[in-house]
Amino acid sequence: VDSDLIPPALISPSSRSGRFIALYERHYAAVLRYAWRRTGADDAEDVTHETFAVAWRLLDQIPVSGELPWLYKVAGNLIRNNGRKAQRDSLALALASFASASAPEPDHASAVSAREAAQAAMESLGERDRELLRLVAWEGLGPDKIGTVLGCSRPAVYIRLHRLRKRLEVLLDESHWQKGAHR
Amino acid sequence: VSRDRDAEFIRRLYGRYDPARGITADGQARDAAVAHLAELDSQPYVAEVRSPVARAGLPGARMVGPTRRRLLIAGTAVAAAGAAGGLAAAWSGGGQAARGQAAAGPVATPKLLSLDKGNPTMSAAQVLLKAAASAERQPDTTGTGRYQYVETSGWGLVAEVSNRGTSVAVVPTLRQQWIAADGSGRLIQRPQAPQFPNPADRKKWAGGYLLGSDHAFGPGGLGPIWQPGSLSTEPSVLRRQLEKGYSGGSAPLSSVSELYDEQPVSPAVRAAILRMLAAVPGLRYDGTGTDRVGRSGIGISLETSRFRYVLIFDPVTGQLLDSELVVLTKSQLDLPVPFVTGYTVYLASGRTNQTTVPPAG
């Protein structure tokens, strides 16, 4: 227990700076991971830094009930605005880190083939679906928050999720996958 | 719901391949936030933080900085002072830290109060009971009126982050508080001239902090914790009243400080407090000496695993003069222990009907 830390609640919530610090504390790690998944380690910190710089300027516009999706949206825009190169790199990086991310498993051969299958399937998706996949599987967002990040309605998110599932089922050998996933 | 099965399916397939799995901020988010703020905002920035120790009868800490984590113990501190003060400076950490990490700064704490051992044959109980007998013979000068007025002086450790860098200072703060029974009233906090542990901090100081505050509060705004006139003069009953909501071994001493923070205390209650303390096991008599503003008194203390709580009473009036908190165990601060993390000096108190000037006397 680190009793030397001031509980977040004790920072004066009334001040703009106090809110900013609280926002940072709540979401810094999540935004860093979001950026990491899309740009890789080298640029993740910069994107996170820029995201919070935007947050500082627009602090009053951040919805209290949806801070994280708002920050994701900003981070996503910053990554896209960095240009095509970044986008291309983003895919390459995401896929490269993807391969090394999974933990060692007892049945190595089957784990590797499962991972390769998953990677190949993700690679063959369009960027919109890939982003949806990341938001669901890695950011762990629910339909409402995904809607905020992607700028679409909740029903639209459900429809897209269903299509994505169908696509993945086609792309992957379901039985093979199940075997690998449940070892 | 069936529609959520799609999301669950995708999560089950891909969740384990998260490239950012295991990426954490390692508790550095706050440091990063403060450093970032300094960069974003060219204005001097100081966050106001109410320290948990405020609950223990010391004035709230106000501090911030990239060094926050390290400063915290000193930050919980804060307290009173006076000419007798003086700073013991120490550097914690130091040097250039990696990007995203805060460089540690200087930490200043007030010197330990020195008391002579007094009469070594006296126990804390004996000294306190003697003071209690004297206290209850005193005339009640707390006065009348709807507001309870208390004036204290404390020292606050403040780290200021501005475009000039981070600067640390100890800022003595005068606090004047008027509270009515319904919790309405007025609170003035007036920071005095900052004292710097070294010339570098003086140079970097942008002066953003020293504005002070003066606020009027409506009903409920300021408490109070104890209704005026509600406290018993029976020591065991009084102890229960004071310690309500408290836990931990320091409760008897902390709650006494907090009571004096809030209201003028009548001679009868002062005597009961001293008798109550006389029955606290483990209490030590530290001897006689002068408090931070040069008033003579008797010192008693109680140690918990991490802190020593010191109270100095006037042996004649039984009034609490000074409350100190001493850190006993090594922390991230790298300060030689024990060190004073905060103190409060109780300067004046009384009842009055208006909040424009302190009560006479």
Side-chain angles (χ1 to χ4, degrees):
Chain A
V1 176
D2 191 351
S3 58
D4 291 351
L5 285 173
I6 298 176
L10 293 171
I11 296 175
S12 164
S14 56
S15 71
R16 193 174 153 82
S17 329
R19 189 182 173 202
F20 182 74
I21 290 180
L23 186 79
Y24 229 102
E25 282 201 287
R26 280 195 291 273
H27 304 308
Y28 179 83
V31 173
L32 182 66
R33 283 192 292 268
Y34 175 96
W36 192 292
R37 290 169 189 132
R38 287 157 182 81
T39 67
D42 291 347
D43 294 330
E45 264 192 79
D46 284 344
V47 170
T48 308
H49 194 80
E50 280 183 57
T51 302
F52 280 98
V54 171
W56 171 249
R57 288 198 297 274
L58 303 178
L59 200 59
D60 301 334
Q61 298 176 25
I62 304 175
V64 175
S65 58
E67 291 173 342
L68 195 52
W70 190 94
L71 290 166
Y72 284 162
K73 195 173 176 177
V74 169
N77 287 338
L78 288 168
I79 292 167
R80 275 186 292 281
N81 290 347
N82 279 346
R84 281 187 180 180
K85 181 183 172 294
Q87 224 171 41
R88 227 178 21 247
D89 290 353
S90 152
L91 175 61
L93 264 162
L95 295 172
S97 54
F98 182 102
S100 60
S102 71
E105 297 188 32
D107 188 345
H108 187 70
S110 121
V112 167
S113 58
R115 190 171 67 224
E116 281 169 355
Q119 186 176 338
M122 190 173 175
E123 202 168 347
S124 66
L125 296 172
E127 176 53 31
R128 275 166 59 90
D129 277 340
R130 215 164 23 240
E131 179 63 5
L132 181 63
L133 187 155
R134 285 188 288 245
L135 291 170
V136 172
W138 296 344
E139 271 81 42
L141 296 185
D144 282 336
K145 288 177 176 170
I146 291 174
T148 304
V149 179
L150 296 180
C152 60
S153 70
R154 181 191 169 105
V157 171
Y158 277 126
I159 291 165
R160 287 183 53 185
L161 278 172
H162 189 65
R163 283 189 194 144
L164 176 58
R165 177 194 173 152
K166 291 289 164 205
R167 231 163 267 162
L168 288 170
E169 279 175 341
V170 172
L171 288 165
L172 294 160
D173 174 356
E174 242 272 283
S175 60
H176 170 82
W177 179 269
Q178 294 291 351
K179 207 171 105 191
H182 289 283
R183 272 300 150 96
Chain B
V1 191
S2 66
R3 287 185 298 185
D4 290 329
R5 284 190 199 148
D6 295 326
E8 201 33 60
F9 176 88
I10 296 162
R11 253 177 224 134
R12 187 160 49 81
L13 291 187
Y14 281 90
R16 60 219 293 264
Y17 299 119
D18 180 359
R21 188 167 57 185
I23 306 297
T24 66
D26 284 334
Q28 289 172 22
R30 191 187 296 232
D31 291 346
V34 174
H36 199 165
L37 258 182
E39 185 185 314
L40 290 167
D41 191 359
S42 59
Q43 294 303 306
Y45 165 71
V46 173
E48 291 193 23
V49 176
R50 287 206 297 143
S51 149
V53 178
R55 181 78 184 89
L58 290 161
R62 295 153 167 275
M63 59 157 305
V64 75
T67 54
R68 180 188 295 271
R69 274 175 69 105
R70 288 169 195 275
L71 290 180
L72 222 54
I73 275 282
T76 59
V78 187
L87 297 175
W91 290 85
S92 70
Q96 284 296 317
R99 180 168 177 267
Q101 289 189 318
V107 174
T109 70
K111 276 183 184 158
L112 283 171
L113 207 60
S114 73
L115 297 170
D116 71 49
K117 270 297 154 203
N119 184 343
T121 62
M122 299 273 272
S123 69
Q126 286 173 311
V127 172
L128 289 167
L129 291 175
K130 193 173 165 214
S134 171
E136 67 188 355
R137 288 196 301 268
Q138 305 297 314
D140 189 343
T141 57
T142 53
T144 55
R146 65 180 294 245
Y147 293 105
Q148 314 211 68
Y149 173 78
V150 171
E151 187 175 316
T152 60
S153 171
W155 268 15
L157 182 69
V158 173
E160 183 189 67
V161 180
S162 71
N163 51 359
R164 298 191 210 175
T166 300
S167 166
V168 175
V170 171
V171 180
T173 301
L174 186 73
R175 175 175 151 272
Q176 294 173 285
Q177 180 177 276
W178 291 258
I179 316 181
D182 67 357
S184 63
R186 180 182 179 191
L187 174 62
I188 300 177
Q189 302 200 76
R190 234 175 243 135
Q192 314 290 303
Q195 305 193 13
F196 301 94
N198 60 52
D201 280 275
R202 180 189 301 275
K203 209 171 166 187
K204 281 185 286 184
W205 186 260
Y209 169 73
L210 301 172
L211 298 171
S213 63
D214 181 353
H215 295 297
F217 292 85
L222 287 168
I225 301 172
W226 297 281
Q227 281 297 320
S230 70
L231 292 173
S232 174
T233 54
E234 169 57 45
S236 59
V237 178
L238 178 66
R239 181 165 177 177
R240 279 198 299 279
Q241 289 178 314
L242 289 181
E243 293 185 20
K244 197 178 169 197
Y246 262 102
S247 61
S250 68
L253 277 68
S254 303
S255 61
V256 168
S257 306
E258 197 159 286
L259 175 65
Y260 275 93
D261 274 339
E262 182 178 287
Q263 59 177 262
V265 183
S266 71
V269 174
R270 294 199 299 253
I273 287 170
L274 295 166
R275 293 192 172 107
M276 173 195 97
L277 291 172
V280 172
L283 203 68
R284 209 176 63 191
Y285 173 48
D286 290 339
T288 59
T290 55
D291 74 356
R292 300 280 170 181
V293 292
R295 299 173 296 184
S296 54
I298 50 172
I300 52 133
S301 64
L302 187 68
E303 292 190 358
T304 63
S305 55
R306 291 186 65 205
F307 299 107
R308 180 189 304 141
Y309 295 79
V310 182
L311 298 182
I312 295 173
F313 289 98
D314 183 320
V316 178
T317 65
Q319 187 84 31
L320 179 63
L321 302 175
D322 185 326
S323 165
E324 312 227 342
L325 185 61
V326 178
V327 176
L328 301 175
T329 52
K330 273 279 184 198
S331 71
Q332 295 174 29
L333 273 179
D334 295 339
L335 278 171
V337 290
F339 66 88
V340 175
T341 178
Y343 51 101
T344 302
V345 174
Y346 300 88
L347 296 171
S349 66
R351 294 196 179 83
T352 176
N353 273 319
Q354 39 78 23
T355 61
T356 47
V357 290

